[in-house]
Amino acid sequence: MSKRQNTTTTAVEEPSKVAALSGAGSSGQPERSVDKSRSMDVDGDAEMGEFEDAFEDEIEEEEDVIEREEDSDGVEMMDDNNDDDDDEEEDEVTAEKRRQVYLPGDLLEEGESLQVDNSAYHMLHSMSVDWPSLSFDFVPDNLGSPRTAFPHTMYAVAGTQADRAFRNQVVLMKMSQLHRTINDDLDDEDRADEDVNDLDEDPILETKTIRHQGGVNRVRVMQSRESPLTATWADTGKVHIWDIKKLMSSFETPGTKVPQSASQALFTVASHGSVEGYSMDWNTDGRLLTGDCSGKLYLTTRRSDTGSDFVADRVSFKGHEASVEDIQWSPEESSVFASCSVDQTIKIWDVRVKNRKFALEVPNAHDSDVNVISWNRRTRYLLASGGDNGDFKVWDMRKWADPNGRSTPAAEFRWHKKAVTSIEWCPTDDSVLAVAGADDQLTLWDLAVELDAEEEARHRDAMVGPDGTKREVPAQLLFVHQGQSHIKELHWHPQIPGVLGSTAASGFNFFKTISV
């Protein structure tokens, strides 16, 4: 039996502008809308169409009502051309033709556009930015976990990619008054029928910034409410560690003066020299792993749980032959981590091994660069990976290799048309996976979906496009979110079940779909 039904959606793309948080009205969704307005020519005049008599239809309608026919017995008979039921059915058919589910790759005909369908989202808010961010991370807070009541408040840290090195910043964001948007499309009459009390108040964005020398390639926050340390991978080859606790506290008391020390890095990791990198991950005990474009990985350790004293190793972990693209600590073994690389491999390491050699590997995990990995936090023997050719795979580490030594994934999907740029397991549902790609899609998958023969047949019949051709859509695909340009990274919120955030060249989206 299927666990969930497929739902697809897409959002209308917005250009990146000045920082502002907005509701779902500025984003969009998967329905086709036929634009009936007349186009304008270059002189600003409406293009000429057929002439119409403004009064002709009105007169004809009056004649239709007045005219009667008599049968052989002299009984008056109503003209059935005005049958209300037929008109309603015709209107429904016309509306259905105008509103069709859109899937990536479908061509829009002339006059068609994509419009938001807020009924596909419990919440959808977008934020434009001064400078795009390649990376962001949610910051743990003291507002409770798990929490589901609207409106939501959440914190996040992002790093900028400005046009000049000295203009870059680390930005701490507090987003509040994030109301439900699922009923935004309803008119007043429908709201009354549904007893909808959603508020239309605008969301609020507050920010605190820290100057950052160089563009920020990656941001990671240690998931600790007591000590939310933040690390930034700079394109200068340096990794900076920041204590954002005082900045977080300053949100709660307006007018609080943040001490100068809060804007200074606690520590700078110089192990990589001038070689920049993109991979980085915190362990819960304060250990930080960083990997660079030359294939080297280094460990930086905090000496005490409460102190700011760090030690950066000078001896690297050896094994990758090209750029290390992503790193993930094991959620179960505090000394074990995984890494992936442009050399097409995934490797498993143990920091206790003195010679810094990897313990296990998948030699040809993908046919291209392995860009991202994610370790399942609930089913800890599952590891997901995304490749540069657009495919993503799930690995069962209990069956890392077959009897012949070949590594075979437990699942493999080829939906995205371009490189997978981010991948992450849902923290509350071990079968749900979020994937983002350079094809401007963010997709949600439920790998627990298994269809029997009858369900599979119905699924195939349902996936017929507007031109009558069948579209291959995996049953495990729950949702397609679109509208952002060049999506770089996604994250599930660790304390608000089902809420996702994503950053792209066009800005941020924060949303919760009806599928999860």
Side-chain angles (χ1 to χ4, degrees):
M1 297 293 292
S2 61
K3 187 174 179 183
R4 295 183 176 88
Q5 292 183 345
N6 298 65
T7 307
T8 57
T9 186
T10 182
V12 174
E13 182 178 320
E14 276 194 299
S16 174
K17 293 183 180 178
V18 192
L21 197 61
S22 63
S26 59
S27 299
Q29 142 87 0
E31 53 184 55
R32 296 171 182 264
S33 174
V34 180
D35 186 2
K36 292 297 183 180
S37 61
R38 290 182 293 174
S39 60
M40 306 294 288
D41 63 19
V42 293
D43 294 323
D45 298 321
E47 288 182 354
M48 187 175 295
E50 294 182 1
F51 284 102
E52 295 184 14
D53 186 337
F55 304 99
E56 181 179 6
D57 291 340
E58 182 179 344
I59 295 173
E60 288 179 349
E61 287 178 4
E62 290 176 356
E63 291 175 350
D64 286 343
V65 174
I66 295 172
E67 286 182 355
R68 298 287 187 271
E69 292 182 6
E70 293 187 2
D71 62 9
S72 58
D73 296 327
V75 179
E76 286 187 345
M77 299 175 63
M78 294 292 294
D79 188 334
D80 59 3
N81 288 334
N82 288 324
D83 190 340
D84 292 340
D85 293 337
D86 290 344
D87 290 344
E88 290 179 2
E89 291 179 3
E90 183 177 352
D91 290 343
E92 290 177 1
V93 171
T94 303
E96 182 62 26
K97 288 181 179 179
R98 294 180 183 177
R99 174 176 175 155
Q100 298 170 345
V101 173
Y102 172 84
L103 285 176
D106 288 355
L107 296 178
L108 293 177
E109 297 179 4
E110 184 177 357
E112 286 187 328
S113 62
L114 299 179
Q115 293 185 343
V116 65
D117 181 358
N118 288 297
S119 65
Y121 298 88
H122 289 294
M123 177 187 79
L124 172 59
H125 297 280
S126 62
M127 183 176 68
S128 55
V129 293
D130 288 320
W131 304 110
S133 296
L134 290 179
S135 180
F136 83 104
D137 205 1
F138 285 116
V139 182
D141 56 53
N142 295 312
L143 301 178
S145 178
R147 58 183 189 264
T148 58
F150 287 92
H152 286 308
T153 296
M154 59 185 72
Y155 299 82
V157 173
T160 65
Q161 289 280 319
D163 61 344
R164 304 283 294 275
F166 68 90
R167 292 177 177 169
N168 282 293
Q169 296 175 328
V170 178
V171 184
L172 176 61
M173 302 177 286
K174 178 184 179 182
M175 295 156 284
S176 56
Q177 209 165 278
L178 301 177
H179 288 277
R180 294 201 314 167
T181 60
I182 191 170
N183 297 310
D184 280 9
D185 289 340
L186 298 181
D187 55 28
D188 292 339
E189 183 177 349
D190 290 334
R191 285 176 177 269
D193 293 341
E194 297 293 335
D195 191 24
V196 173
N197 295 315
D198 292 344
L199 298 177
D200 290 329
E201 297 180 7
D202 292 331
I204 297 173
L205 171 66
E206 301 171 72
T207 63
K208 305 289 183 181
T209 61
I210 301 172
R211 288 188 178 183
H212 189 276
Q213 185 62 34
V216 181
N217 292 343
R218 186 67 56 93
V219 172
R220 285 293 178 266
V221 177
M222 190 173 79
Q223 297 297 303
S224 167
R225 297 184 184 90
E226 293 72 29
S227 182
L229 296 176
T230 299
T232 56
W233 233 128
D235 58 13
T236 60
K238 302 295 187 291
V239 176
H240 305 291
I241 298 175
W242 315 81
D243 186 352
I244 62 171
K245 190 172 184 178
K246 292 178 180 178
L247 290 176
M248 286 279 289
S249 300
S250 68
F251 282 126
E252 309 311 317
T253 308
T256 300
K257 186 176 181 180
V258 181
Q260 185 65 29
S261 59
S263 299
Q264 298 174 353
L266 287 178
F267 186 78
T268 296
V269 180
S271 305
H272 300 275
S274 59
V275 180
E276 67 177 315
Y278 295 87
S279 58
M280 179 167 57
D281 196 29
W282 282 102
N283 207 338
T284 54
D285 59 10
R287 286 181 291 178
L288 178 69
L289 282 165
T290 52
D292 63 32
C293 294
S294 69
K296 294 180 180 179
L297 300 97
Y298 290 94
L299 176 67
T300 299
T301 306
R302 186 169 60 165
R303 286 181 174 175
S304 64
D305 293 338
T306 57
S308 58
D309 192 8
F310 294 85
V311 176
D313 285 0
R314 292 291 181 177
V315 179
S316 67
F317 293 87
K318 301 174 182 177
H320 282 301
E321 298 177 358
S323 176
V324 180
E325 298 295 279
D326 204 2
I327 300 173
Q328 284 263 294
W329 283 100
S330 166
E332 187 171 26
E333 299 288 339
S334 62
S335 63
V336 175
F337 70 93
S339 63
C340 65
S341 171
V342 170
D343 63 15
Q344 303 181 9
T345 70
I346 299 173
K347 300 185 189 297
I348 306 297
W349 313 72
D350 192 326
V351 297
R352 295 170 298 185
V353 176
K354 293 183 179 180
N355 63 4
R356 293 293 197 254
K357 293 288 187 180
F358 60 88
L360 297 168
E361 77 166 339
V362 181
N364 294 294
H366 291 259
D367 296 331
S368 60
D369 305 352
V370 188
N371 292 335
V372 286
I373 53 177
S374 178
W375 214 314
N376 197 307
R377 302 289 165 176
R378 300 173 66 88
T379 304
R380 297 175 178 180
Y381 54 80
L382 294 180
L383 184 77
S385 62
D388 207 50
N389 60 359
D391 66 345
F392 68 93
K393 302 180 182 182
V394 176
W395 306 89
D396 185 339
M397 287 181 285
R398 300 172 303 176
K399 306 172 184 177
W400 200 253
D402 62 21
N404 297 320
R406 294 189 299 264
S407 300
T408 304
E412 180 178 1
F413 295 91
R414 294 181 179 271
W415 172 265
H416 288 272
K417 306 305 181 185
K418 294 184 180 180
V420 173
T421 57
S422 190
I423 191 167
E424 189 167 292
W425 290 100
C426 177
T428 57
D429 192 330
D430 61 355
S431 66
V432 174
L433 187 67
V435 183
D439 56 358
D440 299 338
Q441 295 184 56
L442 191 159
T443 55
L444 302 183
W445 302 76
D446 187 351
L447 305 187
V449 172
E450 294 182 3
L451 304 183
D452 57 29
E454 183 178 348
E455 290 174 321
E456 183 68 34
R458 287 201 302 267
H459 174 72
R460 288 195 302 269
D461 292 341
M463 294 297 110
V464 178
D467 59 354
T469 59
K470 290 190 176 182
R471 298 177 285 186
E472 294 296 328
V473 180
Q476 293 79 11
L477 178 59
L478 292 179
F479 203 95
V480 178
H481 173 78
Q482 288 189 287
Q484 294 177 281
S485 296
H486 307 292
I487 303 174
K488 295 301 182 181
E489 193 167 86
L490 66 85
H491 291 295
W492 297 90
H493 195 283
Q495 296 170 273
I496 311 177
V499 168
L500 275 160
S502 57
T503 183
S506 54
F508 291 86
N509 278 183
F510 298 98
F511 59 94
K512 180 179 181 179
T513 75
I514 60 174
S515 299
V516 180

